[in-house]
C-alpha cells in the first residue's frame, strides 16, 4: 500500500472513530466496569454460576412464562389492534426475547451485583442499619416501592437525556405492541435503572434478601403492560400500570406522559399521569419519522435488523465519513 493510500485509510479510520458517539461508548464502558467487578467478586467467592442461575430463576420463572402464554392467548381473543399472529413486529420482538434469555438476563443479574458492590464500596454510609429492626414485611414493601420509584426516575432520565434516549428509542420504535415488546430493549438501556434501583436495596435491606417470588411478580406486572389489549384494570388501574395506560406512553405524541413502570403514583406526583378510558380509540405507537430502522419498513427483518438496531445508538447522524 502506498503512503498516500495509508494516509487515506487512516483518515477514514479516524473519521469512523469520530462517528462513534462518545456518550454511548461511555454507557458501554460503565456497564462493562460494573459487570467486570461483579464477575471478579463472584468468581473469587466461587459463587458466579450459583448467582447466575438464581438470577435466571427470578427473571425467567415459570410464573412469567405462564403469564406470557396466557397474555398471548388473550391478545388473540381481545386484541386492541387486530393483526396476524406472525406480524413483523411480533417476529422481531421474538428475536429480542431470545436475546433477553441468552444475554440480558445474565447481564441484569451481574448489573445488580455490580451496582451493589459499587455502592457498598464508595457509599457505605447509605446503609440504614437501624431499618433492619422494622418488621420484615414492611421493609420488603418499602424497598419494592422505592425500587419502583428508582425505575421511574431511570425511565424519566431515558426520555430527558440524549445519551440515554439513544438506547431507549429502540423500545419506543415498536409500531405493533405486544406482550413481547417488554423484551425489545437495548441491553445497555438497563444500566441506569439497575444502578438507581439498587440504592433502596442497599439502604433498606443491606443484609436481607428479597424473596425471589416478589421480584418475579414485579417483573410479571412490568411485562403485562405492553400487551396488545385494551385493559385498563378498572379501579386498580389508578394504582397499577395497565396495558391501556402504558400504550399511551408509546404514542409518539405523548411520550412525556405515563412513565410508570409498575406503580402509577410517581406519574401522579409529577403531573404526568393520564388515565385511559375503555372508550378511547386505540392509539398508534412508534417513533415519528422512524429514526430507528424498523421491521415494518425493511424487506428482511430478524437477527440482521436487530444487529442494525443495536448499533444505532453508537452512530452519529448527519456527518458522513469523508
Ligand atoms: Zn419510555
Ligand atoms: Zn414500553
Amino acid at each position: 500500500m502506498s503512503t498516500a493510500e495509508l494516509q487515506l485509510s487512516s483518515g477514514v479510520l479516524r473519521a469512523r472513530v469520530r462517528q462513534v458517539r462518545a456518550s454511548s461508548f461511555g454507557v458501554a464502558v460503565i456497564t462493562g466496569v460494573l459487570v467486570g467487578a461483579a464477575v471478579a467478586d463472584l468468581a473469587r467467592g466461587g459463587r458466579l454460576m450459583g448467582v447466575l442461575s438464581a438470577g435466571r430463576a427470578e427473571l425467567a420463572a415459570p410464573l412469567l412464562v405462564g403469564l406470557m402464554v396466557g397474555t398471548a392467548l388473550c391478545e388473540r381473543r381481545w386484541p386492541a389492534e387486530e393483526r396476524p399472529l406472525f406480524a413483523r413486529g411480533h417476529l422481531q420482538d421474538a428475536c429480542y426475547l431470545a436475546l433477553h434469555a441468552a444475554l440480558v438476563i445474565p447481564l441484569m443479574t451481574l448489573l445488580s451485583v455490580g451496582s451493589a458492590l459499587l455502592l457498598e464500596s464508595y457509599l457505605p454510609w447509605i446503609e440504614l442499619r437501624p431499618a433492619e429492626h422494622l418488621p420484615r414485611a414492611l421493609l420488603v414493601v418499602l424497598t419494592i416501592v422505592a425500587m419502583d420509584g428508582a425505575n421511574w426516575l431511570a425511565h424519566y432520565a431515558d426520555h430527558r437525556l440524549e445519551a440515554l434516549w439513544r438506547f431507549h428509542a429502540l423500545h419506543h420504535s415498536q409500531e405493533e405492541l405486544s406482550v413481547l415488546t417488554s423484551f425489545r430493549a437495548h441491553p445497555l438501556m438497563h444500566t441506569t435503572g439497575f444502578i438507581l434501583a439498587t440504592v433502596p436495596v442497599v439502604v433498606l435491606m443491606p443484609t436481607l434478601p428479597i424473596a425471589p417470588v416478589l421480584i418475579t411478580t414485579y417483573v410479571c406486572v412490568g411485562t403485562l403492560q405492553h400487551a396488545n389489549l385494551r385493559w385498563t384494570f378498572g379501579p386498580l388501574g389508578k394504582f397499577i400500570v395497565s396495558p391501556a395506560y402504558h400504550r399511551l406512553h408509546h404514542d409518539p405524541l405523548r411520550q412525556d406522559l405515563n412513565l410508570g413502570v409498575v406503580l402509577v403514583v410517581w406519574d401522579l406526583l409529577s403531573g404526568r399521569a393520564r388515565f385511559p378510558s375503555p372508550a378511547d380509540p386505540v392509539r398508534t405507537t412508534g417513533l415519528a419519522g422512524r429514526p430507528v430502522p424498523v421491521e415494518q419498513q425493511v424487506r428482511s427483518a430478524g437477527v440482521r435488523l436487530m444487529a442494525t438496531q443495536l448499533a444505532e445508538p453508537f452512530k452519529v447522524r448527519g456527518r458522513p465519513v469523508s
Side-chain angles (χ1 to χ4, degrees):
M1 193 181 277
S2 70
T3 311
E5 282 172 332
L6 269 175
Q7 282 174 341
L8 182 64
S9 68
S10 74
V12 168
L13 185 65
R14 274 201 303 277
R16 287 236 160 92
V17 168
R18 274 202 304 274
Q19 282 195 319
V20 174
R21 283 187 182 267
S23 57
S24 298
F25 187 66
V27 173
V29 169
I30 291 168
T31 307
V33 167
L34 290 175
V35 168
V39 169
D41 185 74
L42 293 172
R44 252 196 317 274
R47 297 188 303 128
L48 181 59
M49 299 318 289
V51 168
L52 285 177
S53 56
R56 189 168 294 280
E58 279 179 10
L59 299 169
L63 182 64
L64 178 61
V65 176
L67 174 114
M68 285 175 57
V69 172
T71 307
L73 291 173
C74 291
E75 286 179 328
R76 304 311 307 159
R77 179 73 181 81
W78 302 287
E81 264 184 337
E82 294 267 3
R83 69 176 85 103
L85 178 60
F86 296 111
R88 285 184 159 226
H90 299 176
L91 295 176
Q92 193 65 22
D93 285 355
C95 292
Y96 282 98
L97 175 62
L99 181 76
H100 184 84
L103 177 75
V104 179
I105 287 179
L107 175 71
M108 285 175 154
T109 306
L110 294 172
L111 276 176
S112 178
V113 173
S115 302
L117 281 172
L118 180 84
L119 292 170
E120 284 160 5
S121 301
Y122 293 99
L123 303 170
W125 48 268
I126 66 170
E127 290 181 10
L128 210 58
R129 293 283 173 171
E132 288 177 2
H133 302 296
L134 291 172
R136 179 71 180 269
L138 176 64
L139 213 47
V140 169
V141 170
L142 284 176
T143 304
I144 289 181
V145 169
M147 283 173 72
D148 189 67
N151 283 328
W152 183 94
L153 199 60
H155 192 187
Y156 177 74
D158 284 340
H159 281 266
R160 301 299 293 182
L161 303 177
E162 173 71 16
L164 300 180
W165 167 251
R166 280 186 219 117
F167 291 102
H168 190 55
L170 168 61
H171 177 66
H172 275 273
S173 68
Q174 182 52 278
E175 298 173 4
E176 297 173 308
L177 280 197
S178 77
V179 68
L180 295 175
T181 305
S182 302
F183 306 98
R184 184 193 183 95
H186 199 292
L188 296 176
M189 190 192 92
H190 302 292
T191 306
T192 326
F194 270 88
I195 293 174
L196 291 178
T198 303
V199 173
V201 179
V202 174
V203 170
L204 294 168
M205 300 183 67
T207 58
L208 302 169
I210 298 179
V213 69
L214 293 175
I215 299 291
T216 303
T217 306
Y218 183 85
V219 173
C220 282
V221 179
T223 302
L224 184 60
Q225 63 184 230
H226 293 102
N228 182 30
L229 296 165
R230 302 180 67 125
W231 294 354
T232 61
F233 289 169
L236 189 63
K238 301 285 183 202
F239 305 93
I240 303 283
V241 172
S242 67
Y245 182 90
H246 189 66
R247 189 183 182 91
L248 204 143
H249 175 65
H250 278 263
D251 180 329
L253 302 175
R254 316 295 289 271
Q255 285 164 7
D256 55 335
L257 303 174
N258 296 6
L259 295 157
V261 177
V262 166
L263 299 175
V264 165
V265 62
W266 317 110
D267 288 326
L268 286 170
L269 291 173
S270 61
R272 291 170 184 273
R274 297 293 181 279
F275 292 101
S277 153
D280 288 347
V282 175
R283 295 173 184 280
T284 54
T285 65
L287 292 175
R290 291 177 164 168
V292 177
V294 288
E295 53 274 25
Q296 290 84 5
Q297 73 182 134
V298 296
R299 203 175 296 166
S300 64
V303 175
R304 197 169 179 167
L305 176 66
M306 184 166 72
T308 306
Q309 291 171 328
L310 293 175
E312 197 60 29
F314 296 94
K315 291 181 189 161
V316 171
R317 298 230 165 263
R319 281 200 303 164
V321 177
S322 53

